[in-house]
Amino acid sequence: MTDPSARTALAAHERSLTWPELAAVLHPAGATALDPTAPADPAAPTATPAPRPVHVVAVDGYSGSGKTWFAERLARALGATIYHVDEFVPGWDALEDGIAHVTDHLLTPWAQGRAARVRRYDWHGARPGEWLDAAAEPVVVLEGSGIGAVDPALISALVWVNTPDDLREDRLAGREDHVLYAPYRQMWAAQERALVARAGAPGRADVVVLEAGETRLRIGS
């Protein structure tokens, strides 16, 4: 669902960027603050470096918005690992539970510079799946409906993928798994709307993607 008021407010701040330019906007400042090629200073004391929190770029948007397509290309531009929130949501009626699981088992450990363990959901078997080790890497893209509802202190940047409703519905109708997905569409959409209404992700986003192509993007920020 698009947000007309947010769209009007963004109009004055729209700009076109290449993927590398967007990556530079979202990349953590000082990610390479220590030059590994620099000669060591023999007089400098040695110490164990403090753990660095993971720089998490969260990508949110309604189903069919194209956020997975966008997030995968953003991850490549950032040289980042990508995680998809829906892998950890325990069922069609449990989007908020999935967000809570990601918060507790991924984002909180990462914020402390620790490796994390998160449990996948077996969508085919409709049961909990295996546990996945998730290292505290420098930069991670975390993509999925509702991820903008997490505590802002646990993410470094929020991207909202803004796509017209009619285009989203056309995309959803054309999905290979449409027959399996269709009975749960309204249930899932209601959960998405509830999370957006509560957290206001489109209005809080650092970047709103208005149009994305293979070489350039139009954004508002």
Side-chain angles (χ1 to χ4, degrees):
M1 182 178 297
T2 53
D3 185 336
S5 61
R7 182 69 183 78
T8 300
L10 283 166
H13 304 284
E14 288 182 17
R15 52 186 169 142
S16 177
L17 297 177
T18 64
W19 285 96
E21 288 169 342
L22 179 63
V25 169
L26 295 173
H27 200 277
T32 55
L34 298 178
D35 181 357
T37 66
D41 180 356
T46 59
T48 301
R52 182 192 296 273
V54 176
H55 182 92
V56 179
V57 179
V59 178
D60 198 354
Y62 291 115
S63 293
S65 63
K67 61 184 177 299
T68 301
W69 180 93
F70 169 85
E72 288 174 349
R73 283 154 182 77
L74 176 63
R76 289 203 294 269
L78 288 168
T81 299
I82 185 169
Y83 292 90
H84 302 283
V85 171
D86 58 7
E87 292 186 12
F88 314 116
V89 176
W92 289 108
D93 61 346
L95 180 55
E96 190 160 357
D97 291 341
I99 299 299
H101 183 76
V102 166
T103 296
D104 293 343
H105 292 274
L106 280 182
L107 292 175
T108 298
W110 282 346
Q112 299 166 353
R114 298 187 288 110
R117 293 191 80 230
V118 64
R119 192 167 198 175
R120 286 193 170 111
Y121 183 69
D122 178 359
W123 284 94
H124 295 289
R127 61 192 177 200
E130 76 277 14
W131 285 89
L132 171 71
D133 292 326
E137 301 181 25
V139 187
V140 165
V141 173
L142 184 58
E143 171 271 326
S145 297
I147 194 60
V150 301
D151 182 348
L154 296 176
I155 60 175
S156 306
L158 174 61
V159 177
W160 177 264
V161 181
N162 198 68
T163 304
D165 293 348
D166 55 352
L167 177 55
R168 291 194 305 102
E169 293 301 328
D170 286 346
R171 288 174 175 172
L172 291 171
R175 282 172 46 156
E176 291 182 358
D177 61 348
H178 172 69
V179 174
L180 296 175
Y181 177 68
Y184 306 100
R185 170 72 187 116
Q186 295 306 317
M187 177 193 300
W188 187 265
Q191 294 172 90
E192 290 180 321
R193 290 193 298 269
L195 286 170
V196 169
R198 187 181 75 199
R204 291 192 301 101
D206 300 287
V207 169
V208 175
V209 178
L210 302 170
E211 185 177 353
E214 290 290 352
T215 58
R216 299 196 70 84
L217 310 96
R218 185 164 57 91
I219 69 166
S221 58

